[in-house]
Amino acid sequence: MSRVVHRSLNAVPPIAVRGQGMHIHLQDGRTILDGSGGAAVSCLGHGHQRVVEALSQQAATHAYAATTFFSSEPAEALADILLADAPGGLTHAYFVSSGSEGNEAALKLARQYFVEIGQPARTRFIARRQGYHGNTLGALSAGGNMMRRALYEPLLSDAFSLVSPCFSYRFQQAGETDETYVQRLADELEAEFQRLGPQNVIAFCAETVVGATAGCVTALPGYFPAMRRVCDRHGALLILDEVMCGMGRTGTMHAWEQEGVSPDIQVIAKGLGGGYQPIGGILISGRVMEALRTGSGGFMHGHTYQAHPVACAAALAVQQVIREEDLLSNVVAMGERLETALQERFGNHRHVGDIRGRGLFRALEFVAERGNKRPFSPEAKLNERIKEAAFARGLAVYPMGGTVDGRQGDHVIISPAYIATASEIDAIVARLGDAVDAALPV
Ligand SMILES: Cc1ncc(COP(=O)(O)O)c(C=O)c1O
């Protein structure tokens, strides 16, 4: 009997004892090909010697430097490498221990910014349905993952309201062009600003590419610029959550680089430290930082483990390896190979409705009928069955249900490490193909 509270209280998951590159070895002797890096976390694969050495050395030299008194060399160096050349006008970093904590920090910083510049009436956030920003109560309030919200709904803050995501496979209407769909979404956001009173809105929050909730949903061209224009018109901030899609996962260091906008505050996590340590953070625009610096002079927030030196040392090594080995070129090349392989294997599959994503961040959405996009019944737990069938074939992929509305729909995410080789990509798709065939009703 395990005393650990696992995701299911009725089963103990297999015990992972060693990770090397793209593989995870289990206590029972099996080896699993890691096709998703957990939840798109392990961007360098497992057991990367340079990262292990960097974090071990930091742990041995100075494990904990309380930020009430000290900074640390790895925290300073990590901010320097992330913000070299001030990407998109982002000039400062604040490090925490997870994506949820990053989103909490983003929300609080945005609120403080408006108090500092003399607009304390701004108390409202607009976020999106079928998006996710974390499981702490503030981040959950901002999220539109109905499955994760439902139980806690009475505890969630009413400072947040939700508008539609840009999810063309599901919600672009028949006969609607990309331009008119984007305009409809811009009109909806504008209407929500008007409903709340534009002078009351702090920010619009969105995942640049939607992650687990809807499965690698990219926005249509022009969507983010249109949303940015609505925010700018009303003096509100744009907060982009790149916890899952950022740090190179889509082929550029920041997913927003492919969208023609940059955020005022960006949330980062998973690929920042690649799973070697728990670390997340926010990147902050010069404008927001300057308001605080010349105002109260401090960010009214904090955590005991913020900017933890060992976490920052691990993340620094991860970021150095990504840059020095030009791994984003591999993300682009292997991402194209993955897309082609998925199209070849599933393009004509009668239960695969959509193959989408960017870089090494791809998803399959499953449907009972392609013609009308009808999802399988949630009771069938199709995504779980595919996960299990894949695992039985020595492959880990990231499944999720509720793709359409938090209840209906199934998808799996394929998000291997940036070091993946062509043969590993092919093996992932081959095993996934067998797993899908085995899990689906004939
Ligand atoms: C887009 C996004 N934001 C926030 C989070 C929350 O991050 P964490 O689980 O590290 O708290 C996640 C986690 O999956 C995520 O995908």
Side-chain angles (χ1 to χ4, degrees):
M1 247 314 269
S2 169
R3 289 188 177 80
V4 176
V5 177
H6 296 291
R7 302 241 169 179
S8 162
L9 297 182
N10 298 315
V12 180
I15 293 184
V17 289
R18 194 166 66 83
Q20 200 56 52
M22 294 282 292
H23 293 92
I24 297 169
H25 302 279
L26 307 183
Q27 199 181 48
D28 61 19
R30 284 180 292 165
T31 297
I32 301 295
L33 174 58
D34 191 358
S36 64
V41 173
S42 303
C43 58
L44 289 191
H46 304 276
H48 198 290
Q49 207 46 43
R50 179 156 165 199
V51 184
V52 173
E53 274 164 23
L55 73 90
S56 315
Q57 199 184 355
Q58 186 62 41
T61 317
H62 193 205
Y64 178 61
T67 52
T68 339
F69 308 102
F70 312 108
S71 184
S72 70
E73 287 171 347
E76 298 294 333
L78 180 59
D80 286 345
I81 196 171
L82 293 174
L83 298 161
D85 305 328
L90 300 165
T91 58
H92 287 73
Y94 182 82
F95 298 117
V96 291
S97 306
S98 69
S100 299
E101 282 188 11
N103 274 284
E104 298 288 343
L107 299 170
K108 291 176 86 171
L109 179 66
R111 162 67 185 161
Q112 187 179 340
Y113 166 73
F114 282 112
V115 174
E116 302 265 356
I117 64 167
Q119 299 183 31
R122 291 192 188 256
T123 55
R124 302 294 308 234
F125 291 90
I126 304 173
R128 304 191 304 175
R129 283 188 285 282
Q130 287 306 90
Y132 181 60
H133 301 295
N135 255 337
T136 50
L137 290 174
L140 195 61
S141 299
N145 184 317
M146 298 309 169
M147 196 161 42
R148 291 181 180 171
R149 284 176 65 108
L151 178 62
Y152 302 105
E153 204 70 57
L155 309 185
L156 301 183
S157 164
D158 60 10
F160 300 83
S161 52
L162 304 176
V163 293
S164 304
C166 185
F167 188 175
S168 58
Y169 175 68
R170 282 286 164 194
F171 302 119
Q172 188 169 6
Q173 290 161 5
E176 195 173 39
T177 64
D178 290 359
E179 290 73 23
T180 51
Y181 180 38
V182 166
Q183 188 56 49
R184 174 158 66 85
L185 295 169
D187 292 345
E188 183 184 340
L189 183 60
E190 174 66 33
E192 187 58 15
F193 267 88
Q194 295 303 333
R195 189 183 73 81
L196 297 168
Q199 70 287 356
N200 298 325
V201 177
I202 293 174
F204 173 58
C205 312
E207 288 169 82
T208 318
V209 179
V210 182
T213 308
C216 304
V217 178
T218 51
L220 286 173
Y223 169 79
F224 276 107
M227 299 302 117
R228 172 98 242 186
R229 280 194 294 278
V230 176
C231 293
D232 289 350
R233 191 180 308 138
H234 301 302
L237 300 181
L238 175 64
I239 299 176
L240 290 180
D241 181 343
E242 298 212 350
V243 165
M244 205 171 198
C245 63
M247 308 315 297
R249 172 88 15 226
T250 65
T252 47
M253 184 49 68
H254 309 293
W256 51 256
E257 290 172 57
Q258 300 177 58
E259 300 296 344
V261 296
S262 62
D264 299 294
I265 303 173
Q266 177 184 352
V267 190
I268 54 177
K270 301 177 191 278
L272 174 61
Y276 285 89
Q277 286 286 289
I279 184 164
I282 53 175
L283 304 180
I284 309 158
S285 71
R287 167 167 74 115
V288 170
M289 217 53 240
E290 196 52 20
L292 265 71
R293 201 184 59 75
T294 55
S296 65
F299 178 24
M300 188 62 196
H301 187 50
H303 291 287
T304 301
Y305 297 125
Q306 74 189 56
H308 193 281
V310 180
C312 289
L316 175 62
V318 169
Q319 295 306 314
Q320 285 167 335
V321 170
I322 291 174
R323 286 159 180 77
E324 288 168 23
E325 297 182 12
D326 187 25
L327 288 181
L328 297 194
S329 297
N330 198 52
V331 173
V332 172
M334 289 304 112
E336 283 166 10
R337 187 177 184 103
L338 178 58
E339 182 183 23
T340 307
L342 290 172
Q343 287 293 351
E344 278 169 8
R345 183 63 177 81
F346 299 103
N348 293 318
H349 197 292
R350 68 193 179 104
H351 291 307
V352 175
D354 197 23
I355 301 170
R356 56 181 175 246
R358 199 173 275 163
L360 285 175
F361 196 44
R362 307 274 171 176
L364 303 177
E365 180 175 341
F366 299 95
V367 289
E369 276 183 62
R370 275 169 74 136
N372 59 14
K373 304 183 184 176
R374 181 170 61 83
F376 284 97
S377 147
E379 285 69 42
K381 293 191 173 18
L382 176 65
N383 68 84
E384 267 299 311
R385 293 213 314 267
I386 293 173
K387 174 191 162 192
E388 279 160 22
F391 209 78
R393 288 159 178 77
L395 173 70
V397 283
Y398 187 40
M400 186 72 95
T403 316
V404 184
D405 55 7
R407 206 183 91 77
Q408 300 192 85
D410 298 271
H411 65 264
V412 294
I413 292 179
I414 306 109
S415 49
Y418 306 171
I419 56 164
T421 61
S423 62
E424 285 159 346
I425 295 291
D426 296 349
I428 290 170
V429 176
R431 290 186 203 184
L432 182 58
D434 292 347
V436 168
D437 288 345
L440 277 166
V442 219

